[in-house]
Amino acid sequence: MSKDEALRNGVVRQDGGLGETEYCGYDYALRNEPAAHVNISTRLGVAVIFAAPTFRSPEGIGIGSSLAEVRSAYPGLQQSPNIFHTPVPGNANASYHFLLDQDRRVRQFSLAIRGQDCVN
């Protein structure tokens, strides 16, 4: 969904956050959940949704879940230098990204479209 469609349809609202770059807008939040931040790519539209603390994936994973719980829910989980990631079950065009704290619990997670150009 493009930025204009997302704003027009009420999916996101401007949040006065970090602003925009040439490639991506960072000042959006889900309209009904302001704690969930949204990055909108100028090329791809809605590209990344950072979960609010109350969000859970359909598999029950959210902020505070342990690494063992994430691995159990997503057997294909892979580790990159800074994050863990896995394809979204049933959606080959999206992936979940998990950032863990020092206790190996999910500190932040996001849903990203394949090829997004907003975050590393």
Side-chain angles (χ1 to χ4, degrees):
M1 180 179 294
S2 73
K3 175 176 84 172
D4 291 341
E5 290 172 318
L7 288 167
R8 185 173 51 251
N9 293 335
V11 174
V12 300
R13 66 175 174 77
Q14 291 205 271
D15 194 34
L18 300 175
E20 296 200 20
T21 67
E22 177 182 354
Y23 302 106
C24 201
Y26 299 96
D27 60 346
Y28 301 94
L30 290 180
R31 177 154 311 273
N32 295 324
E33 185 54 71
H37 293 277
V38 179
N39 292 359
I40 300 178
S41 165
T42 56
R43 185 173 60 91
L44 300 169
V46 174
V48 184
I49 300 171
F50 291 91
T54 58
F55 283 13
R56 294 272 181 238
S57 72
E59 296 76 27
I61 301 301
I63 306 298
S65 295
S66 69
L67 178 57
E69 292 168 326
V70 176
R71 285 189 197 278
S72 177
Y74 307 108
L77 188 70
Q78 296 180 6
Q79 185 174 2
S80 294
N82 299 318
I83 62 166
F84 289 84
H85 57 94
T86 187
V88 172
N91 185 349
N93 291 319
S95 58
Y96 288 125
H97 299 253
F98 303 96
L99 182 63
L100 304 181
D101 64 18
Q102 68 274 9
D103 296 323
R104 309 288 276 177
R105 295 201 166 270
V106 175
R107 177 175 80 155
Q108 179 184 73
F109 86 97
S110 61
L111 170 65
I113 191 170
R114 179 181 288 213
Q116 63 82 17
D117 53 4
C118 289
V119 296
N120 294 338

